[in-house]
Each structure stands twice: as C-alpha cells, then as structure tokens.
C-alpha cells in the first residue's frame, strides 16, 4: 500500500525567532529631524495569508528600528507561514526520490508525485497535459525553447520580461519576431493576428505572452490572444509568473498550450518552477538535460558507444535528483491560495491597488507607468518615476530612512521600460544614484546630478501585505517629495547606498 505523506507527516507549527537585519554598509545615527518612530512587529490581522518576515526589524539611518515593509513581491514574494510549516514538518522525512527502497524514499516519492497532481489541479490541466518541475519561470521557458521543432517561428511582444523575451534567440533554426508594444488589449490581439497571418512559410509557430506585466501589473487578454494564435495554427505559452500569485490560472479555460511560473513568486521560495501543458513537443525532443532520472534504459554498444532510451513522461526533462522540498513548497502554496479563495484575495488586493494608485495620484511629481491606461485591470504591481529624482536614489531613501523594500531599475524588461519612459536603447538604464541628492526639479526619471538615467521604481504586494505597509509607503513618498532625503547617498558597486554617518546638509 502506498505511503500517504499527508497522513504520515505530523504538521506541527514551527516557531521562528525574529531576526534583526543590519546591513553592513549602514551605520545607525540619530538625527533630530527624524519623523519615523521605531515600530514593533506589524499585526497580520489584515493580511489574509500570513508570511514570514513580518516580525523582522531593520535599522534606520536616522536612528531606531522599524518592522520591515516588504513591497517587492514581484521579484520574490515572502514564504507563506503555511508553506514554511509544511516544509519544516516534512524535512525530517526527506529522502531520495524515485527507485529508493527505503521508507523515507518511498514517502518522498509519493510526496513528489502528489505535489505534481496538486499543481495540475491548481492549473486546471487537461488529462493529457504534463507537469514538468524546473527551477523557475526562466528555466521553464528555456526548456520549452529547447524542444521547439526546427523551423518554428516565435512571436513575442517587446513588453515581455527577459525570461520570456530571450530564450528563443538562442535556439538554432528558430526565427523570432518581436512585436511592438500595444497600447490597448485590443491592439495586442490585432497586432498578433496580423503578424501570424503574414508569416511565411507556414510552419510551426509559438506565441509567448505574459498574463500580468511585471512592470505595470496590467492584465493581458490571454484568452483572446490564445484564440488568435490557434486560429492561425500557432501554439501559445503563458508566462504566469506575475499572474498565478494573484489570480486563478486555468489552462483549459484560457485555452493556452503551456503555462510557466516560479515558486519564489508564489510564496514558495525554495528553488522550483513549473512548465505545464501539451506533451507532444516535450516527448518528441531530446531531454533538456541528459542524466539519471531522464533515462529508462542505457546500454553500451559493441562499437563503444551508448544507446539510450529516454522516458516519455515528465521525467524526460527532470534529470538529476529532484528538488522535492521546492516542489512540495509549491504544492503547499497552491493549496493555501485555493483554500483562501481567489475571490477574496483578488477583492482585497484590488482595494490595495486602488489605495496605492490614488495615494500616488495625490503627489503631482509622481508619474505612474501604464500601457493600457488608468482603467486597465491589474495586479498589485505598480511602477512609477518621480520628477527630479533618480529612481535608485529614491528607492534607497525608502529603504534606509523608512524600512521599505521596493525595486528600482528596468526590472528585466528593458525594452518595455524604455518605451514607457520614452527612451532609447543607448541611454543609461542601469541601477545607480547621483553622487549628491537631487538639486532641482527636472523631468521625471532624470537626475540633475548625473543627467538622464532611464530607470523607475516598482512597488509590489500581495496576500501577505498588511495595510500598514501600504500606508507607510505612501506617507514616505509624500515626505521624500516634499522634504527631500534626510541622508546623503553615494554610488557603490552600481548601487545607491547611504553615506556612513552623514545626514543631509552635514
């Protein structure tokens, strides 16, 4: 009788002591003008899914400590406490996956395959679909690129994350068409239809599209794009890295051929990702990696060569020892999100989105970036620039003076951000900061101290974000724009960091 991991593993809560993070490059100092008071851990009552890290205190350059406000979910979401507890409960039972005769190996194998089934259910997979475990969305899309039939034409919008924009460029015998950024969902569908209709010769084709932009948070018309692709004999893969943590993703309902996403954006940062969908191109190609686990039979020939029979299941592309803990973490997160109810999660997140957008709109110097306009539906990902500020300088001040973690730069979507900011490919867009605080009011995204610098600030949040983090962020934006930074900053190794013990004006 197979081992049932859910019955076998006692899921006891795990107590995690708060950790006080102290960046090595920052010396705490007391400044009389400081207006942010040290805070204790933030109650999680208003966050529907508790996450790790809400009790972490970080130092402020202006003195004291504050509970860290993690507002960089689009890069890596914090781990759900539920996921951490499940992983911790399983850890003592960890064993090798597949073919092991021991009890822990059998239990781990059962857990691994049960997790595959849980992910398939979460994604609404069709009976014939395969769920392949990878390292990340990037790894998933590189895997798909490796199995494309020779002569495949790939269509991808310039608005994509680099993980969806670049893998196809490296595949020999594959031609890539990069489509211009659309300004409405309808334009996106029309642009794709024209490109597909004009392709010559008529052969295999693949469309790659995001479900939600990692820059603007805007939702893309996935089902309509899938319809256009299939009408012209093409297949479509959905990059759901930013969609899956915020909205239900159903392969059959969206009518896409594949879905890719990462565990670390789905509150399960343990190094696993997923590629799920049609099996034919996957089983018809050479394994993504050659090695144990992918092969069914290996025999040495008399001429000294080796004959290999590869698996035809998902194992064909899962060579090596599987990351069973990462896979189980994804399954745990899928279950937690499903039980919480996406209806409830989406409703609350939209309230936070509205609050952030309305709060930023109250600051005339702030410009929010958007492709489809203010009324476009979106997830909790918002990018903006501030007049007279280099974005890296602004993000550094949010961290050092307010304990707020956001992201700055081009967000691994360089063509899109340059388009939104009206820039050109030769203009600087790396992270960095002026040698001194902004001294004047220039155009958004421009630092008067170092000239034009194309970069932006991104704030992102989700089911584990307390309301207080959003309110602190908006208050910090207002103060920085009105009063300027209270500390001096410099560029070190390409990053903007506070000067040691040097308040602004000193």
């Amino acid at each position: 009788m197979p081992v049932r991991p859910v019955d076998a593993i006692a899921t006891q809560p795990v107590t995690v002591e708060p950790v006080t993070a102290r960046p090595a490059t920052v010396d705490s100092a007391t400044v009389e003008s400081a207006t942010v008071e040290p805070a204790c851990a933030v109650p999680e009552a208003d966050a529907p899914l508790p996450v790790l890290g809400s009790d972490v205190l970080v130092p402020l350059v202006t003195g004291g400590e504050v509970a860290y406000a993690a507002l960089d979910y689009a890069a890596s979401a914090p781990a759900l406490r539920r996921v951490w507890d499940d992983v911790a409960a399983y850890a003592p039972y960890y064993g090798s996956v597949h073919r092991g005769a021991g009890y822990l190996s059998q239990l781990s194998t059962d857990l691994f395959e049960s997790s595959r089934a849980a992910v398939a259910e979460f994604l609404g997979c069709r009976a014939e679909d395969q769920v392949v475990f990878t390292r990340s969305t990037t790894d998933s899309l590189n895997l798909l690129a490796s199995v494309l039939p020779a002569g495949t034409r790939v269509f991808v919008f310039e608005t994509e994350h680099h993980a969806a924009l670049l893998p196809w460029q490296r595949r020999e015998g594959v031609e890539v068409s990069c489509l211009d950024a659309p300004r409405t969902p309808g334009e996106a569908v029309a642009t794709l239809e024209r490109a597909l209709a004009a392709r010559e010769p008529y052969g295999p084709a693949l469309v790659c599209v995001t479900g939600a932009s990692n820059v603007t948070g805007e939702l893309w018309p996935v089902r309509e794009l899938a319809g256009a692709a299939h009408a012209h004999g093409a297949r479509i893969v959905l990059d759901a890295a930013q969609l899956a943590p915020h909205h239900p993703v159903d392969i059959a309902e969206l009518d896409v051929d594949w879905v890719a996403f990462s565990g670390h954006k789905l509150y399960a940062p343990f190094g696993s990702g997923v590629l799920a969908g049609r099996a034919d191109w996957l089983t018809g190609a050479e394994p993504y990696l050659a090695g144990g686990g992918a092969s069914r039979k290996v025999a040495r020939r008399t001429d000294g060569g080796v004959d290999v029979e590869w698996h035809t299941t998902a194992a064909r592309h899962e060579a090596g020892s599987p990351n069973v803990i990462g896979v189980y973490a994804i399954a745990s997160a899928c279950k937690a999100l499903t039980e919480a109810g996406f209806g409830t999660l989406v409703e609350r997140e939209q309230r936070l989105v509205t609050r952030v957008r309305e709060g930023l709109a109250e600051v005339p110097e702030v410009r929010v970036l958007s492709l489809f306009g203010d009324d476009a539906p979106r997830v909790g990902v918002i990018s903006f620039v501030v007049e007279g500020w280099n974005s890296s300088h602004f993000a550094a001040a949010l961290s050092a003076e307010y304990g707020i973690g956001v992201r700055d730069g081009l967000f691994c979507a360089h063509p899109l951000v340059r388009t939104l900011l009206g820039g050109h490919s030769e203009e600087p867009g790396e992270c960095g900061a002026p040698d001194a605080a902004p001294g004047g009011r220039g155009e958004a995204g421009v630092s008067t101290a170092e000239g034009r610098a194309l970069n932006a600030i991104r704030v992102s949040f989700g089911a584990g974000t307390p309301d207080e983090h959003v309110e602190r962020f908006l208050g910090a934006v207002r103060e920085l724009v009105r009063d300027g930074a209270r500390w001096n900053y410099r560029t070190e190794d390409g990053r903007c960091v506070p000067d040691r013990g040097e308040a602004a004006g000193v």
Side-chain angles (χ1 to χ4, degrees), residues 201-370:
Y202 191 88
L206 177 71
V207 176
C208 180
V209 67
T210 187
S213 170
N214 78 302
V215 176
T216 67
E218 292 164 314
L219 298 178
W220 279 62
V222 176
R223 184 170 178 80
E224 291 79 3
L225 290 166
H230 293 152
H232 290 277
R235 299 188 182 190
I236 184 168
V237 57
L238 170 63
D239 172 1
Q242 300 297 339
L243 185 64
H246 304 276
H247 277 263
V249 175
D250 190 300
I251 287 182
E253 183 180 332
L254 293 173
D255 196 26
V256 294
D257 297 281
W258 293 277
V259 166
F261 72 88
S262 296
H264 71 98
K265 298 186 192 298
L266 195 79
Y267 309 99
F270 291 88
S272 280
V274 170
L275 176 67
R278 295 182 61 158
D280 54 350
W281 282 6
L282 293 170
T283 57
E286 290 294 300
Y288 182 46
L289 297 173
S295 57
R296 291 184 60 189
K297 181 181 178 181
V298 178
R300 186 176 179 185
R301 299 194 304 265
T302 55
D303 63 1
V306 174
D307 287 325
V308 184
E309 181 182 336
W310 303 106
H311 278 293
T312 56
T313 62
R316 184 184 190 89
H317 298 291
E318 294 176 345
S321 296
N323 179 4
V324 60
I325 288 181
V327 165
Y328 182 43
I330 289 179
S332 174
C334 290
K335 187 174 182 180
L337 289 166
T338 301
E339 290 176 354
F342 271 109
T344 300
L345 297 177
V346 169
E347 182 179 355
R348 178 183 182 268
E349 184 175 305
Q350 289 311 301
R351 176 173 63 79
L352 294 182
V353 169
T354 300
R355 176 69 187 111
V356 172
R357 287 178 60 81
E358 289 178 348
L360 292 177
E362 294 171 358
V363 184
E365 294 84 353
V366 170
R367 176 164 72 92
V368 173
L369 306 183
S370 177

Side-chain angles (χ1 to χ4, degrees), residues 150-170:
T152 298
R153 182 88 170 267
V154 177
F155 296 85
V156 59
F157 287 93
E158 67 170 338
T159 49
E160 293 293 319
H161 186 282
H162 294 168
L165 187 64
L166 302 181
W168 331 104
Q169 318 280 345
R170 305 174 65 223

Side-chain angles (χ1 to χ4, degrees), residues 49-127:
L49 288 175
V51 296
L52 298 180
S54 60
D55 51 2
V56 171
L57 301 178
V58 295
L60 304 179
V61 292
T62 51
E65 295 178 326
V66 68
Y68 183 66
L71 295 177
D72 193 16
Y73 276 47
S76 285
L80 288 178
R81 287 190 180 275
R82 156 76 173 273
V83 170
W84 180 259
D85 290 348
D86 283 350
V87 166
Y90 162 65
Y93 298 88
Y94 173 78
S96 61
V97 175
H98 298 142
R99 295 171 302 283
Y103 178 83
L104 297 191
S105 179
Q106 293 179 53
L107 187 148
S108 295
T109 298
D110 191 55
L111 187 72
F112 186 77
E113 295 304 334
S114 296
S115 296
R116 197 190 304 275
V119 172
E121 182 179 1
F122 179 76
L123 294 175
C125 287
R126 299 152 297 216

